[in-house]
Amino acid sequence: MNAPLPSPLPVSPQAEVRPARRIIPIATTKPVGHNRTQKKRIAFQIGFFTLFILAPVFDIFRYDLNAGHAWLLGMEWRLGLDDFLAGRIGALEAGGNVMFRLFVPILVGAAAFLWVAWKWGRLYCGWLCPHFSVVETINKLMQKASGKPSVWVREPLPPWKADGTPWSADARWWLVVVPAAVFFAFLWAMVFLSYLLPPAEVYGNLFGGTLTRNQSIFLTAGTAVLSMEFLFARHLFCRYACAVGLFQSLAWMGNRNAMVVGFQRKRAADCATCLPDRQSACDAVCPMRLTPRNIKRLMFTCTQCAQCVEACEQSQRDNPQGPLLQWVSHEAARQNEAGFRSGKER
């Protein structure tokens, strides 16, 4: 056998002993198929929205002001204070009833809810919340009418879809936007009322035209307030006023290993060319008006809806290196934050 040829370049001692740098890739899994994640997410949203409407109808969960007790899974749910007021049990037993029938279920449910948020962020908001479902629906309709997903957005969105297909706004869609907002507002007001009064009575009075004075006032006021919220402040409510979203975000921020949208910074130049006019597809699709390529701290209200991930996948479908955005967690999530120079949030 021939001996190997010596290298013509001298090798320094330092180069011989220097350890190789450990690199953890940001994209840890193969990207999902086109639109598969969004179809699954929409199915979850539709299912939970249906549950939100039908839960009081089938006594899955509601509180009956007339009867003075709650319903849970078709059964009456009482705190056990009736026996105490009647003198059949003592204060200690009554306190135990309240503890185990009210506070323990609330604490266990809250703990499970926050544990999910700690690992995966505002997953409830992006995948289940009936309010966020309305937010996204009105966003899309308003975008078709004005080119902007909200009246507060200063500049129209790029006239290109993530796959490069052109689109344009049509003012005639305003004839759909306003009725849709009012319809969802009235539906929500009706559902809220059915959580407080017997649904058979509420819907029976509505369809029979025999609503009581208090029911009419509640529905009118609720529809008016919710219509304004859905038209002008829907995603602002999600970002700044929703306590459920806030606690999810706080839990998520406390976990450095939590799932985040990872960004391959070394390929940032590809983001400037994924749409014409040097615009980025991921910036246009976020319903919370965030910049998906930012650090976690500036993604505080991210709902993990994955629309930015899918938009990047579509815009980079012909790129052999694949998309730049990907869900990551654990070490890859920590690496994604290290040395990241944040951009300005929109």
Side-chain angles (χ1 to χ4, degrees):
M1 297 178 62
N2 295 331
L5 296 177
S7 172
L9 299 178
V11 180
S12 64
Q14 292 182 350
E16 294 177 352
V17 298
R18 182 178 299 171
R21 184 179 178 183
R22 182 168 175 255
I23 301 296
I24 300 176
I26 290 294
T28 58
T29 58
K30 185 177 180 180
V32 298
H34 171 65
N35 209 33
R36 192 175 70 187
T37 300
Q38 293 309 308
K39 288 181 178 179
K40 183 185 298 183
R41 189 175 71 91
I42 291 173
F44 274 99
Q45 287 180 317
I46 293 174
F48 197 81
F49 198 93
T50 303
L51 178 63
F52 167 69
I53 295 173
L54 297 180
V57 175
F58 294 101
D59 292 331
I60 297 174
F61 175 75
R62 68 180 179 91
Y63 185 84
D64 194 327
L65 291 176
N66 292 344
H69 63 78
W71 289 84
L72 182 65
L73 301 178
M75 299 178 291
E76 294 184 6
W77 185 265
R78 300 176 184 270
L79 295 181
L81 295 179
D82 295 339
D83 290 337
F84 172 72
L85 296 176
R88 290 189 289 268
I89 61 174
L92 183 61
E93 186 175 353
N97 288 339
V98 173
M99 175 64 69
F100 289 103
R101 297 184 186 184
L102 179 63
F103 292 109
V104 170
I106 290 177
L107 291 175
V108 171
F113 184 77
L114 292 177
W115 179 79
V116 171
W118 185 76
K119 287 182 64 70
W120 296 292
R122 295 177 68 162
L123 207 64
Y124 168 79
C125 294
W127 288 68
L128 297 177
C129 178
H131 181 272
F132 194 70
S133 301
V134 176
V135 169
E136 291 191 272
T137 301
I138 303 298
N139 277 4
K140 293 174 182 178
L141 293 175
M142 193 170 288
Q143 180 178 332
K144 291 181 178 181
S146 66
K148 301 185 296 182
S150 168
V151 295
W152 308 114
V153 176
R154 295 181 179 180
E155 300 293 333
L157 297 181
W160 309 90
K161 297 180 181 180
D163 59 4
T165 305
W167 70 275
S168 60
D170 187 340
R172 289 175 295 182
W173 276 98
W174 282 112
L175 299 175
V176 180
V177 173
V178 177
V182 174
F183 167 77
F184 280 118
F186 179 75
L187 177 62
W188 267 62
M190 281 294 302
V191 173
F192 282 151
L193 190 58
S194 69
Y195 274 92
L196 302 175
L197 297 175
E201 174 188 336
V202 173
Y203 289 108
N205 290 350
L206 174 66
F207 294 119
T210 57
L211 289 170
T212 67
R213 179 176 179 273
N214 289 338
Q215 291 172 356
S216 299
I217 292 175
F218 182 93
L219 292 177
T220 301
T223 301
V225 172
L226 288 170
S227 294
M228 294 299 101
E229 195 267 338
F230 288 154
L231 284 172
F232 301 106
R234 55 192 179 278
H235 76 276
L236 297 177
F237 173 84
C238 293
R239 292 181 68 173
Y240 303 116
C242 180
V244 176
L246 173 64
F247 283 110
Q248 287 180 93
S249 293
L250 291 175
W252 181 57
M253 293 297 293
N255 181 13
R256 294 182 59 201
N257 294 324
M259 183 178 72
V260 298
V261 176
F263 174 53
Q264 297 187 34
R265 299 187 298 277
K266 63 183 180 180
R267 295 176 51 204
D270 291 345
C271 291
T273 57
C274 69
L275 289 181
D277 302 325
R278 301 183 66 81
Q279 300 180 85
S280 301
C282 61
D283 292 345
V285 298
C286 179
M288 298 295 278
R289 311 314 307 140
L290 302 175
T291 302
R293 293 163 290 163
N294 252 328
I295 57 175
K296 183 178 179 179
R297 176 171 54 84
L298 296 181
M299 294 289 289
F300 184 79
T301 56
C302 174
T303 62
Q304 305 292 9
C305 68
Q307 293 188 64
C308 59
V309 175
E310 182 188 275
C312 185
E313 180 184 345
Q314 293 182 31
S315 65
Q316 302 293 329
R317 63 190 182 282
D318 296 328
N319 191 328
Q321 299 184 70
L324 293 85
L325 298 180
Q326 187 78 6
W327 269 335
V328 296
S329 59
H330 297 94
E331 179 61 30
R334 293 196 297 270
Q335 178 182 329
N336 185 69
E337 292 291 293
F340 199 109
R341 183 175 181 181
S342 65
K344 184 178 179 181
E345 184 179 359
R346 291 180 291 157

